Amino acid sequence: MTLALLDARQWQQAVDLRSGRPSEAVSPLGGMVGDILARHPFPGDRDGGSNAWVTDTALDFVARYDPGFAFLAYAQQYYSSRYGALAPETRRKYVENAFAEAARFARESGMTTVLVGTGDLVPATTPIDLEDLDGLAVASNWCAHYAGLYDLSDRDRETLARHPHLERIVPRQEILDLFGGGPEDGGRLPDYMAVACRGGFFKGSSLRRLVMVPEPSAVIPVSQNLGPATSILDIRPRLLELLEAGNRVALALLEGVGCAEFQPPYTTCANGKDWFRYEPGDAQYLALSTGRHPIFEHNGGYRYYLDDGEHKPYPFSGYFKELPAGTIGEAYPGRSIAVGNRSMFMHVCTGCDVTCECFARNLYNQGLMSVIFRDDKMVR
């Protein structure tokens, strides 16, 4: 059983992560984790102290658990820009704060900290409404740029071909060919994937009014201390090389930051393959963490409602009905932590021993959640 601890300020509850039900199980790390959560209440996704919360909480875990690897996510500037009309000076201040907090973590922890920007944001100019199709269009709250299309009629195909705000319509077989998949890999792919033009976003891809959306970027910046990486898939093996050489390493993602705003010296790596480019979201995190493209399992057009139901496992893990395998936290044999102000992705996508994340849904702050995947390394 994997134990998760929920914290809602002066109230904590241990649950079984898979079932979501309260648990009386005891973990050797439970007391430490509960104490850290109680000391670091989450201020909110767009609060000016949100990125400082990531650093403060992660440093507390470093002091108490002594990890060799840390996976961090700084997202306050992403949420503030995505859902609020920021003055340029305010945006600049928020981005500078994210870099400053990552630098503070590096300085106080002593860990070699590799920075990755997840890509630029652009104004959300064009909502795309596909509700008048005879077939079904599916858009995800985690993905504004892609939508899945099912059971299209001839009229639908003609309508989509003339649509002024769609970059392309990609059939399932073309996706399989691009990513080297066979027929057995297409079960979770849509019949077609609709790709929005720059600044476009699909209606239904957000429950709040969007001000900015991911570009998504063809390349993303990576700090030079990682070494050469030509693709997003190269980041994981380079990190593992640094760890195997005896370095204590942290990976810090700066959400919604592309090359134009990246501050330290950097190189660029491809943020996807051909026409497919990652947005800041579950698929991008998994590409970084697993070193492979997860599009066959996780894409913006899957009909996730098919997996939903009263007995769906992992109720605190969003769309996921099982936790991905092959993550960087699983691959690294030493102690590891993940801390971030991006809900769910810390525990779903990193595989680290202990994870801590804000428990926020659609910007509603409900507290914190920490997951203990491994509690057997304290005795080493």
Side-chain angles (χ1 to χ4, degrees), residues 232-283:
I232 190 173
L233 305 186
D234 297 332
I235 294 174
R236 167 196 159 105
R238 291 292 299 148
L239 290 170
L240 290 174
E241 288 175 9
L242 291 172
L243 290 164
E244 288 167 4
N247 298 289
R248 296 170 64 244
V249 178
L251 171 65
L253 303 188
L254 290 94
E255 296 266 13
V257 176
C259 296
E261 297 178 301
F262 206 77
Q263 295 181 0
Y266 68 89
T267 59
T268 61
C269 68
N271 182 38
K273 191 172 185 179
D274 200 314
W275 56 267
F276 182 83
R277 301 168 182 179
Y278 289 107
E279 295 185 30
D282 57 330

Side-chain angles (χ1 to χ4, degrees), residues 3-204:
L3 198 65
L5 185 63
L6 305 176
D7 182 287
R9 300 198 185 196
Q10 300 183 353
W11 177 88
Q12 293 185 346
Q13 175 65 59
V15 300
D16 173 8
L17 183 65
R18 180 178 177 83
S19 70
R21 294 177 179 146
S23 173
E24 299 297 327
V26 177
S27 167
L29 300 183
M32 176 196 77
V33 170
D35 185 45
I36 291 175
L37 296 186
R39 286 209 301 272
H40 300 283
F42 184 61
D45 290 311
R46 295 189 290 177
D47 187 276
S50 182
N51 284 336
W53 173 86
V54 175
T55 299
D56 291 339
T57 306
L59 288 172
D60 211 346
F61 273 103
V62 168
R64 302 283 294 273
Y65 189 61
D66 191 25
F69 174 67
F71 192 123
L72 310 178
Y74 293 94
Q76 184 269 340
Q77 68 285 345
Y78 171 75
Y79 284 117
S80 295
S81 300
R82 185 175 172 94
Y83 297 110
L86 301 183
E89 178 61 24
T90 302
R91 165 71 184 178
R92 185 186 64 78
K93 181 181 71 173
Y94 285 164
V95 171
E96 287 182 350
N97 171 260
F99 281 103
E101 286 302 329
R104 180 165 70 92
F105 175 84
R107 183 174 62 254
E108 296 187 21
S109 69
M111 303 179 83
T112 299
T113 302
V114 175
L115 307 182
V116 176
T118 61
D120 293 311
L121 299 175
V122 297
T125 57
T126 312
I128 300 172
D129 188 348
L130 300 181
E131 290 184 345
D132 64 343
L133 297 178
D134 298 325
L136 174 67
V138 177
S140 164
N141 194 37
W142 288 351
C143 184
H145 194 65
Y146 303 104
L149 304 174
Y150 299 85
D151 301 321
L152 297 182
S153 66
D154 291 340
R155 183 186 76 88
D156 291 339
R157 292 184 180 87
E158 293 176 3
T159 299
L160 293 166
R162 298 192 307 268
H163 201 292
H165 302 302
L166 294 180
E167 178 184 304
R168 66 182 72 218
I169 303 293
V170 187
R172 176 189 293 143
Q173 188 59 52
E174 187 174 327
I175 300 172
L176 289 169
D177 292 343
L178 178 62
F179 289 96
E184 69 280 2
D185 296 311
R188 294 175 70 87
L189 291 174
D191 296 342
Y192 298 86
M193 183 174 285
V195 183
C197 289
R198 188 174 189 269
F201 59 96
F202 291 100
K203 183 179 179 181

Side-chain angles (χ1 to χ4, degrees), residues 175-366:
I175 300 172
L176 289 169
D177 292 343
L178 178 62
F179 289 96
E184 69 280 2
D185 296 311
R188 294 175 70 87
L189 291 174
D191 296 342
Y192 298 86
M193 183 174 285
V195 183
C197 289
R198 188 174 189 269
F201 59 96
F202 291 100
K203 183 179 179 181
S205 60
S206 177
L207 299 179
R208 291 177 178 266
R209 184 179 70 89
L210 292 173
V211 177
M212 303 285 281
V213 292
E215 188 175 17
S217 303
V219 296
I220 54 175
V222 184
S223 58
Q224 288 183 351
N225 58 348
L226 177 68
T230 59
S231 164
I232 190 173
L233 305 186
D234 297 332
I235 294 174
R236 167 196 159 105
R238 291 292 299 148
L239 290 170
L240 290 174
E241 288 175 9
L242 291 172
L243 290 164
E244 288 167 4
N247 298 289
R248 296 170 64 244
V249 178
L251 171 65
L253 303 188
L254 290 94
E255 296 266 13
V257 176
C259 296
E261 297 178 301
F262 206 77
Q263 295 181 0
Y266 68 89
T267 59
T268 61
C269 68
N271 182 38
K273 191 172 185 179
D274 200 314
W275 56 267
F276 182 83
R277 301 168 182 179
Y278 289 107
E279 295 185 30
D282 57 330
Q284 188 183 52
Y285 271 67
L286 286 170
L288 283 161
S289 181
T290 65
R292 65 179 185 85
H293 294 296
I295 190 170
F296 298 143
E297 299 87 10
H298 304 284
N299 57 79
Y302 176 63
R303 293 174 291 182
Y304 289 100
Y305 61 84
L306 296 177
D307 296 337
D308 204 2
E310 182 181 356
H311 301 293
K312 174 193 172 295
Y314 299 104
F316 296 110
S317 305
Y319 298 132
F320 289 80
K321 64 176 183 178
E322 58 185 26
L323 298 185
T327 55
I328 189 168
E330 290 181 37
Y332 174 59
R335 297 179 189 174
S336 60
I337 63 168
V339 180
N341 48 5
R342 192 77 195 265
S343 294
M344 292 180 277
F345 294 167
M346 295 294 96
H347 82 270
V348 167
C349 301
T350 70
C352 292
D353 301 347
V354 186
T355 68
C356 181
E357 64 200 40
C358 58
F359 193 92
R361 301 295 183 268
N362 299 306
L363 304 184
Y364 291 107
N365 182 9
Q366 301 176 52

